[in-house]
Amino acid sequence: MDIGEIISDAIVYPFNNIKALIIYMIIGIICGLLGGASLFGVLLAAQGNNVLMAGGLGFIGILILIIGGLLISGYGLDIVKFGIERRDDAPGIDIVRQVLNAIKVFIVGFVYYIIPAIIGWLLSTLLGKGILTTIIILIISIVFAFAQFMAICRLAKYDSLGEALAIGEAIGDVSKVGMLKVLATIIAVFIIALIIAIVIGVIMQYNNLIGGVLFGVFGVYLTFFYNRAVGLLYSQV
């Protein structure tokens, strides 16, 4: 599939699975409204010097956002898997599985972030903070960013942290798909997401309620869209 086919399929895919889309949009709206309301309450309580209320509202808001984020992120990994298999239906909703999915995604992201961070720290310590060190660290960070992208796909395909954390294999997958194709797909997805985010941001300046609803709706849509594109891209490995 070329980039145009991947993006056009990913744009339509969420609407082919209305039931799952609506359920997760409801979750997104709840997160957007209740989470945002709780955080707004923190500001009001803090201004009134009510530390206990501010702490309670803050905890509720953070908890809501974490739970909603885990569910949506974990479901997104299953969408990647379906994209790899080029299936047009939606994954089943399995709360336990998808929360575990999200935790695995977090672990993979952490590992692929911490390794270049440690390498960068060692290079800075041994070589100093010169231009050469900066260039080397930048190259390593870019390589690991692409590898992490592939690692999520490997996690979806094999349902295995071991396969996802096989760094050499993940880097090899980048060359199989093509670095330029991966980069072009990411840029195309980013541009579409940016346009939607700007529109929602403008709306939120005039009406926080409507903006919160739209944030939840389009946040979930973008999750479906992005993960579908990622899965289709990796299906060519």
Side-chain angles (χ1 to χ4, degrees):
M1 299 179 73
D2 60 31
I3 296 171
E5 290 174 327
I6 290 172
I7 296 301
S8 60
D9 183 294
I11 288 173
V12 174
Y13 175 76
F15 300 108
N16 292 339
N17 304 283
I18 292 296
K19 180 181 177 181
L21 182 64
I22 290 175
I23 290 173
Y24 275 89
M25 278 185 172
I26 292 172
I27 294 174
I29 290 170
I30 291 172
C31 290
L33 293 179
L34 294 186
S38 296
L39 295 176
F40 180 69
V42 169
L43 296 177
L44 292 179
Q47 289 175 358
N49 296 320
N50 193 329
V51 178
L52 183 61
M53 181 180 291
L57 290 172
F59 174 77
I60 292 171
I62 291 171
L63 185 63
I64 290 171
L65 292 174
I66 289 175
I67 293 173
L70 286 173
L71 291 173
I72 294 169
S73 173
Y75 191 78
L77 187 68
D78 283 341
I79 292 176
V80 174
K81 182 177 181 65
F82 275 45
I84 293 171
E85 297 172 353
R86 299 198 181 184
R87 293 175 56 176
D88 292 327
D89 56 328
I93 297 173
D94 184 334
I95 293 176
V96 174
R97 169 183 166 74
Q98 279 138 16
V99 168
L100 291 175
N101 278 351
I103 293 171
K104 291 176 183 177
V105 169
F106 173 80
I107 292 172
V108 171
F110 177 79
V111 170
Y112 279 82
Y113 169 80
I114 199 66
I115 292 177
I118 292 173
I119 294 174
W121 175 77
L122 289 173
L123 288 174
S124 297
T125 302
L126 296 173
L127 303 178
K129 297 181 179 180
I131 296 177
L132 179 61
T133 303
T134 301
I135 293 174
I136 294 173
I137 292 173
L138 179 61
I139 292 172
I140 292 172
S141 298
I142 291 172
V143 169
F144 269 83
F146 276 96
Q148 191 261 347
F149 186 86
M150 294 292 104
I152 297 300
C153 296
R154 294 178 63 83
L155 176 62
K157 181 177 181 178
Y158 299 107
D159 194 21
S160 166
L161 273 175
E163 289 290 343
L165 298 178
I167 297 173
E169 297 292 332
I171 293 174
D173 286 345
V174 176
S175 62
K176 291 177 183 177
V177 175
M179 184 173 290
L180 289 178
K181 193 168 187 177
V182 173
L183 185 59
T185 302
I186 292 173
I187 291 173
V189 170
F190 174 77
I191 290 173
I192 293 172
L194 181 62
I195 292 172
I196 292 175
I198 290 173
V199 172
I200 294 175
V202 171
I203 293 173
M204 288 188 74
Q205 290 181 348
Y206 294 96
N207 192 306
N208 285 329
L209 178 62
I210 295 175
V213 172
L214 291 177
F215 179 80
V217 168
F218 283 104
V220 171
Y221 171 81
L222 288 174
T223 297
F224 277 55
F225 163 67
Y226 168 76
N227 287 292
R228 176 66 173 181
V230 170
L232 291 175
L233 184 67
Y234 192 78
S235 69
Q236 301 168 87
V237 172

